[in-house]
Amino acid sequence: MHKKDSPDAVSPLHDLSAVDLIAGFRARQFSPAEVLEDLLSHIAVWEPHIKALYAFDPEGARAAAKASTERWQKGEPMGPLDGVPATIKDNIATKGVPVPLGAATTKLVPSAMDAPPAARLREAGAVIFSKTTMPDYGMLSSGLSSFHPLTRNPWDLGKNPGGSSAGAGAACAAGYGPLHLGTDIGGSLRLPACWCGIVALKPSLGRVPVDPPYVGRVAGPMTRSVDDAALMMSVLSRPDRRDGMSLPPDSINWKALDKSPRKLRIGLMLDLGVGQALEKDVRDVAVKAAKAFESAGAVVTDVKGILTREMLDGLDNFWRARLWDDLSQLAPAEREKALPYILRWAERGAKLSGVDVVRGFNATMAIRAAAGKLLADIDYVISPVSPVVKFAAELAAPLNDPDRPFEHICYTVPWNMAENPAVSLNGGYDAKGFPIGVQIIGRRFDDIGVLGMAKAFEGLRGAQRPWPRVPAR
């Protein structure tokens, strides 16, 4: 069993990484069934406080863990994740479970089959014990939803876990096992990772097949370590023909994380000129991360942001019109079940012209061109993930203003539109011990390079604070 720093301390089973769990199963130190029971007891303590789960299925998980235990006893694991507990975000279909999309407006129809990322986890032997919460239609960076109860941040129950992979981020930070699957179209993996102190990779578009595919939409891992994120990617990146936007199969060695920053050209992106002002604590953490890479031999230079006001407003218009198209097809009484914030934001989409919407969509091409130009001259970008350290649990967004909904995603959304891989991992803490994330962005398709840089940073940043242990405000 994994030992902590003290020679007499032993990590609880629910705290172990996926890598350590697999090693323990192989050495017969413990079984998947034992791990799950320890995890379920831990969840019982935390879940009344953070409300991270949807479609929690302990009995189904027990059956899966029992079958996994029997396979390990025979020395015949079915895949690289056999017996490892995992959660899947609400909006990723799992067979037999409705996909509410976090919205009370959605008709609850059981899914006919697993979506590609869920299928890959199940095929690899992961013990899927629950789905996780999200806000309405995934259009908020918040744990606020008209369908799910309010999801809170384990580091501070009065604060927001972020979103839209809200439950996944909260569950990971609270120790609900090592592997959590989320999605990201503007920051929905990286923002909760930032505010929950965990690791999340937004892969290159198409690296992880999804269904349904969409511009900028990806699925990716949310974990407590880079090693676990890489292990999860070795499974999630396997091909699936249902995604016509997916990349061809690639023989990436997801274990090849050793990467020296020496002589790499790194751009430090701080002041964007658009969006919310960067808070000092966030700036300090990003600068410290850049200096750590510089001390390891990297060449760090300041670079300007690539997002403009026109681009951000264009994306806002396009997404308003897109959601209004969905909401307008509902009867008025059904439409009113959506969060008032979401409804007010989307309604303006009805007043946009076709030219407005096309111009908004074209912002994606302008962002892609700007990103390509930037990364032609440097290898990686380091930036904040969020401009703010934290915000209240009850708010829909840091500004909580549907007329200015995306001021906080200016560090994250460009890389969805440009299709670049980007990872968020913890870079430090504020004076009260609340985590602050750092983002590392690479060229398109350099997913393993971005993870390698994140792994290098894990070694450079120094010891981390203990994970939250007691649910308390």
Side-chain angles (χ1 to χ4, degrees):
M1 192 178 294
H2 177 69
K3 295 289 184 70
K4 291 190 173 181
D5 294 337
S6 167
D8 298 321
V10 177
S11 294
L13 293 176
H14 63 262
D15 262 354
L16 295 182
S17 69
V19 171
D20 285 342
L21 286 177
I22 293 297
F25 297 154
R26 185 173 290 114
R28 301 196 177 187
Q29 292 178 314
F30 42 75
S31 71
E34 290 172 312
V35 169
L36 180 66
E37 290 306 320
D38 180 75
L39 177 61
L40 294 177
S41 296
H42 181 71
I43 290 171
V45 174
W46 272 97
E47 186 59 11
H49 301 276
I50 64 172
K51 305 288 186 183
L53 302 182
Y54 158 63
F56 183 37
D57 183 18
E59 292 310 311
R62 285 188 171 106
K66 180 176 182 292
S68 177
T69 296
E70 292 170 354
R71 290 191 293 271
W72 278 108
Q73 287 172 345
K74 296 175 183 177
E76 299 174 352
M78 70 183 291
L81 302 180
D82 204 346
V84 179
T87 70
I88 295 175
K89 187 176 175 181
D90 161 344
N91 65 339
I92 300 172
T94 53
K95 186 176 180 179
V97 180
V99 179
L101 301 175
T105 54
T106 306
K107 292 183 179 179
L108 300 181
V109 179
S111 299
M113 64 181 68
D114 288 340
R120 298 298 85 77
L121 292 180
R122 207 183 299 275
E123 292 162 2
V127 175
I128 300 167
F129 64 89
S130 188
K131 306 293 288 288
T132 51
T133 63
M134 63 182 283
D136 292 44
Y137 302 101
M139 292 310 301
L140 298 178
S141 302
S142 173
L144 184 64
S145 163
S146 63
F147 179 84
H148 301 295
L150 179 66
T151 303
R152 296 178 178 273
N153 194 313
W155 290 91
D156 181 340
L157 297 181
K159 297 297 182 269
N160 214 294
S164 63
S165 303
C172 187
Y176 288 20
L179 303 182
H180 305 272
L181 178 63
T183 63
D184 192 317
I185 200 170
S188 291
L189 284 160
R190 290 157 290 158
L191 288 164
C194 168
W195 291 317
C196 292
I198 64 171
V199 176
L201 172 68
K202 183 209 80 66
S204 300
L205 185 74
R207 179 69 69 206
V208 175
V210 295
D211 183 27
Y214 198 77
V215 176
R217 181 174 182 256
V218 301
M222 303 180 77
T223 63
R224 286 182 167 190
S225 71
V226 174
D227 283 336
D228 274 3
L231 175 61
M232 208 169 168
M233 282 299 295
S234 73
V235 169
L236 295 174
S237 60
R238 293 174 179 175
D240 194 300
R241 292 181 179 177
R242 286 176 284 176
D243 184 353
M245 297 172 70
S246 63
L247 299 174
D250 198 325
S251 56
I252 295 172
N253 180 3
W254 293 101
K255 294 182 180 179
L257 295 179
D258 291 337
K259 189 177 185 72
S260 171
R262 183 171 172 78
K263 295 186 178 180
L264 289 178
R265 299 165 299 173
I266 296 177
L268 175 60
M269 184 179 289
L270 293 174
D271 295 304
L272 302 181
V274 63
Q276 282 182 260
L278 186 62
E279 293 182 358
K280 182 180 184 301
D281 283 350
V282 181
R283 175 187 292 273
D284 290 347
V285 164
V287 169
K288 184 179 178 181
K291 288 182 177 179
F293 279 113
E294 195 169 43
S295 71
V299 178
V300 178
T301 57
D302 292 331
V303 296
K304 295 181 179 180
I306 62 172
L307 194 71
T308 66
R309 182 82 253 170
E310 183 180 15
M311 292 172 181
L312 186 64
D313 290 346
L315 292 176
D316 184 9
N317 284 340
F318 173 68
W319 280 334
R320 285 179 196 257
R322 176 175 174 251
L323 185 55
W324 181 249
D325 177 47
D326 292 332
L327 292 176
S328 66
Q329 297 177 50
L330 301 175
E334 290 298 306
R335 191 160 57 238
E336 290 297 325
K337 293 179 182 179
L339 282 175
Y341 181 104
I342 285 287
L343 194 56
R344 179 179 159 189
W345 170 72
E347 281 176 334
R348 205 176 82 186
K351 301 176 183 178
L352 295 169
S353 70
V355 172
D356 291 332
V357 177
V358 170
R359 186 175 292 137
F361 180 79
N362 284 343
T364 62
M365 297 299 105
I367 292 169
R368 182 179 298 188
K373 183 177 180 180
L374 173 68
L375 285 157
D377 298 322
I378 57 176
D379 300 304
Y380 296 95
V381 173
I382 290 175
S383 83
V385 183
S386 158
V388 302
V389 174
K390 53 194 170 187
F391 65 107
E394 295 79 10
L395 300 184
L399 288 181
N400 207 40
D401 181 355
D403 291 329
R404 294 191 296 162
F406 298 140
E407 303 300 303
H408 62 286
I409 68 170
C410 294
Y411 289 99
T412 53
V413 71
W415 315 115
N416 294 81
M417 302 302 105
E419 304 183 6
N420 297 71
V423 64
S424 169
L425 72 166
N426 190 41
Y429 305 85
D430 72 359
K432 294 185 178 180
F434 196 87
I436 299 171
V438 168
Q439 184 175 214
I440 302 171
I441 304 107
R443 295 183 178 121
R444 289 176 72 203
F445 315 133
D446 187 23
D447 302 70
I448 191 66
V450 165
L451 283 178
M453 291 291 285
K455 178 70 174 177
F457 182 65
E458 280 185 331
L460 293 169
R461 72 184 174 188
Q464 296 294 285
R465 292 174 183 254
W467 293 99
R469 292 294 176 195
V470 181
R473 287 188 182 274

